[in-house]
Amino acid sequence: MTYEEYYGDAYHILKQTEQKLLELIENYPGQEKLEEIQPIIYCKSRIKSPESMKEKLRRQGFAEDCNTALEQMHDAIGIHIICSFMDDVYAVAEWLCCQDDFEVTDKKDYIAWPKPNGYRSLHLILRMKEKESRGIQAEIQIRTIAIDFWAALEHQIKYKHEVEHEKMMREELKRCADEIASVDMSMQTIRDFIREEAK
């Protein structure tokens, strides 16, 4: 099933909204300061595939049609913002919360309160307010480049049906996540020292 077949007329609105959010993020203040490490390294985005959306709806006991998906699920549009430092993650999130085109309806801080597997990221759920995109929801995940690398590997294991030595790999991933968090904090501390000395 194609995206157009599943989402129908809403697909065009989803794509427009995705593009609008990406353009907004591109204009994050401070991105133009070439002498500094960029606060946002890159963004990734996607419209959730019909198969993934239907499977998620099925898992949660909902009907699998497009209208139910857009009403009940908040991640038809998904955007990952990859930042250099932990402080940048929070600064970008705060900036997004002040925008006029949407309201932030939910915020989950998995950096302050990591998931049991070690996952650390900050999630914002947005609901668009303007014109034809009114009511469309999107999920933005903001994380450092170090944890994004970890998350990509964890994602592979999560969606493989049979993984040899899975328990051992998950334990190792949890250990790596804790080490990455420690490195992120150390990098932030070094950056803070450099900025303080530059004043």
Side-chain angles (χ1 to χ4, degrees):
M1 176 179 281
T2 67
Y3 285 81
E4 290 86 351
E5 287 171 338
Y6 182 68
Y7 289 109
D9 293 339
Y11 182 63
H12 173 68
I13 299 170
L14 290 170
K15 289 299 291 180
Q16 272 192 334
T17 305
E18 176 189 27
Q19 189 56 40
K20 183 173 184 177
L21 289 171
L22 288 173
E23 288 170 2
L24 172 72
I25 294 161
E26 280 178 14
N27 291 315
Y28 176 70
Q31 284 296 102
E32 71 286 349
K33 292 182 181 177
L34 299 179
E35 74 278 3
E36 290 234 355
I37 297 172
Q38 297 297 291
I40 296 176
I41 301 173
Y42 60 88
C43 286
K44 301 181 285 189
S45 69
R46 60 99 184 105
I47 305 296
K48 199 171 191 71
S49 72
E51 293 74 21
S52 293
M53 183 61 85
K54 287 165 72 175
E55 203 279 326
K56 186 172 184 179
L57 287 163
R58 190 181 313 123
R59 221 170 45 235
Q60 297 192 21
F62 293 111
E64 296 174 27
D65 61 284
C66 167
N67 288 338
T68 304
L70 296 180
E71 287 172 11
Q72 300 295 334
M73 300 293 117
H74 55 249
D75 62 345
I77 300 169
I79 296 176
H80 291 178
I81 301 177
I82 312 307
C83 295
S84 299
F85 296 96
M86 217 175 298
D87 274 7
D88 294 327
V89 171
Y90 286 103
V92 170
E94 186 176 341
W95 175 75
L96 285 168
C97 288
C98 296
Q99 300 305 306
D100 295 327
D101 294 347
F102 51 78
E103 61 174 325
V104 175
T105 60
D106 196 13
K107 178 180 177 181
K108 294 177 181 175
D109 188 347
Y110 296 118
I111 297 172
W113 295 278
K115 289 188 175 184
N117 66 352
Y119 176 78
R120 290 166 168 85
S121 185
L122 198 151
H123 294 195
L124 300 177
I125 308 302
L126 318 178
R127 188 185 298 275
M128 306 304 293
K129 295 194 292 190
E130 292 195 341
K131 299 178 183 176
E132 63 178 6
S133 65
R134 182 183 296 275
I136 293 289
Q137 297 185 85
E139 180 178 62
I140 296 184
Q141 300 180 8
I142 317 168
R143 59 179 71 124
T144 65
I145 191 168
I147 201 66
D148 188 59
F149 173 64
W150 177 94
L153 189 58
E154 195 274 341
H155 183 82
Q156 286 185 7
I157 294 173
K158 184 177 180 180
Y159 288 97
K160 267 185 171 286
H161 295 298
E162 293 182 24
V163 179
E164 195 175 357
H165 309 301
E166 181 177 354
K167 184 175 184 293
M168 179 272 292
M169 281 194 282
R170 291 198 176 280
E171 288 172 354
E172 188 65 10
L173 272 172
K174 172 64 169 66
R175 185 185 66 78
C176 288
D178 293 341
E179 288 185 2
I180 286 168
S182 177
V183 169
D184 269 339
M185 286 194 296
S186 296
M187 296 291 280
Q188 181 68 57
T189 300
I190 293 167
R191 182 204 207 187
D192 292 344
F193 277 135
I194 292 170
R195 281 182 161 177
E196 192 62 35
E197 288 185 357
K199 287 182 180 177

